[in-house]
Amino acid sequence: MAETDYIIIRAEEDGVHVIGLTRGSDTKFHHSEKLDSGEVMIAQFTEHTSAMKIRGKAQIFSAYGAVESGKKK
Ligand code: TRP
């Protein structure tokens, strides 16, 4: 699992949350990381993390392209 692609999240406002959800039959939040505007988090999907939820305005870059989270103005 160490070689999985990275996801890059760049916060565009203060208080963006990157929430990791567990892999397996139970899907639960296991980690929440708070980013302030301009902060970048580089993360992978792992044996513990099957999904991520991004709350707040951010740019997300992955092998599947770029997407924006948060309210549209
Ligand atoms: N301990 C977590 C894991 O190995 C760390 C982690 C990896 C994580 N990717 C994440 C936490 C994405 C939150 C979001 O799975």
Side-chain angles (χ1 to χ4, degrees):
M1 272 290 178
E3 295 85 24
T4 63
D5 282 340
Y6 289 85
I7 304 287
I8 300 171
I9 302 119
R10 185 175 66 213
E12 295 199 326
E13 65 182 6
D14 290 346
V16 169
H17 281 86
V18 179
I19 300 159
L21 293 100
T22 56
R23 190 175 297 282
S25 49
D26 275 359
T27 305
K28 291 185 182 159
F29 287 16
H30 68 74
H31 186 90
S32 176
E33 196 66 38
K34 184 174 150 275
L35 305 180
D36 285 333
S37 186
E39 288 187 325
V40 169
M41 181 166 167
I42 303 164
Q44 284 176 298
F45 291 99
T46 69
E47 88 181 268
H48 305 294
T49 304
S50 66
M52 291 180 224
K53 173 172 169 172
I54 316 294
R55 184 175 279 160
K57 193 166 168 50
Q59 293 280 137
I60 300 144
F61 303 93
S62 77
Y64 302 99
V67 68
E68 198 175 321
S69 64
K71 288 189 194 112
K72 297 265 183 224
K73 286 217 171 130

